[in-house]
Amino acid sequence: MRVQSLTLAAAGAALLAPATLPAPTVSFAAPGSRHRITATDLLARVRDCDQVSKGRYRSDADTAATVPVCGTSRAVFWKADLDIDCDGRPTAHCNRGADPSFSAATAYQQSNGRQLNAEKLPYVVVPAPSGRWNHWASGVRGGAVAAVIYKDRVQYAVVGDTGPRDIIGEASYATAKALGVDPDPLVGGVPSGVTYIVFKDSGVDPIEDRAEAEAEGERLAEEFVEGG
């Protein structure tokens, strides 16, 4: 939070009377850092790309295919934009009125059979399987744990939906909000600078357990940073 400096006179007055704090600035993300493993730690492990996809992906329908899926023994990763996925259960901010391309279904569902809640659950979207890349072959399934990094923030999420076979770089409303990114499905997101790391053969059960995704994400991230 940015706080204005006190003048000398105001500082003197502050000694005699309780200070009035300014109103907090608006932020899409929760305050404070709660992770042992930092964005810097994770990004250092994905500087180099050993490409596992047979081709590259577009970040949007009207862009060139420049994004490879890369891999290590423990994870796959890519660096792209962040488009907002609001699909799943209709909510106050994710519905057909707010998002003309809204779909009331996600590729994976909660343990009770209901669709995922994009407004509440941090999840990422992987491209549907194709000859370019099949996420199943890389040990990535619904509920797999992901670390999404933007600037100095890390948000753990699950794989919750699939998207077009040739486009990559999408995450739920809740993921964007936690990263400090505008989550509005029409005008939100960011055009670049987001890193997605999905840990192979991982999983959260039930998929909607956000606390378990955080705990498992932190554990897997620590292993990834230490051993890659």
Side-chain angles (χ1 to χ4, degrees), residues 57 69 78 125-130 133 135 161-168:
Y57 287 88
V69 175
W78 55 92
V125 181
V126 295
S130 70
W133 179 55
H135 58 272
D161 205 0
T162 58
R165 289 180 172 85
D166 62 341
I167 295 177
I168 205 166

Side-chain angles (χ1 to χ4, degrees), residues 2-224:
R2 184 178 299 169
V3 180
Q4 294 180 343
S5 299
L6 293 173
T7 63
L8 290 177
L15 295 175
L16 302 176
T20 301
L21 295 176
T25 55
V26 174
S27 174
F28 291 111
S33 175
R34 61 191 182 278
H35 298 132
R36 296 189 308 275
I37 306 303
T38 67
T40 301
D41 294 331
L42 287 165
L43 292 175
R45 297 298 301 161
V46 296
R47 280 196 297 256
D48 301 319
C49 176
D50 181 6
Q51 186 169 327
V52 297
S53 59
K54 294 181 180 178
R56 299 191 175 207
Y57 287 88
R58 303 174 187 274
S59 57
D60 290 298
D62 58 351
T63 61
T66 60
V67 181
V69 175
C70 311
T72 74
S73 61
R74 293 180 182 266
V76 292
F77 63 91
W78 55 92
K79 302 175 183 182
D81 62 344
L82 194 159
D83 294 324
I84 309 300
D85 189 321
C86 248
D87 294 345
R89 194 186 320 167
T91 63
H93 294 99
C94 288
N95 54 66
R96 199 168 301 282
D99 180 6
S101 62
F102 172 79
S103 169
T106 46
Y108 304 103
Q109 289 74 45
Q110 293 187 168
S111 55
N112 61 4
R114 299 187 70 184
Q115 303 299 325
L116 301 184
N117 184 333
E119 189 176 336
K120 299 295 183 184
L121 180 67
Y123 69 72
V124 300
V125 181
V126 295
S130 70
R132 185 181 283 107
W133 179 55
N134 183 341
H135 58 272
W136 283 82
S138 293
V140 174
R141 299 168 178 80
V145 181
V148 189
I149 304 146
Y150 180 62
K151 295 184 176 178
D152 62 347
R153 292 185 182 271
V154 179
Q155 176 59 42
Y156 297 112
V158 294
V159 171
D161 205 0
T162 58
R165 289 180 172 85
D166 62 341
I167 295 177
I168 205 166
E170 191 173 7
S172 68
Y173 183 106
T175 307
K177 185 176 180 180
L179 289 170
V181 171
D182 184 351
D184 187 294
L186 285 180
V187 300
V190 289
S192 63
V194 180
T195 299
Y196 303 78
I197 303 171
V198 184
F199 301 106
K200 294 179 177 180
D201 301 314
S202 63
V204 173
D205 187 16
I207 193 173
E208 67 270 20
D209 191 337
R210 182 169 178 172
E212 178 62 20
E214 285 283 340
E216 187 66 357
E218 189 80 352
R219 184 186 71 81
L220 291 166
E222 188 168 10
E223 290 181 354
F224 183 62

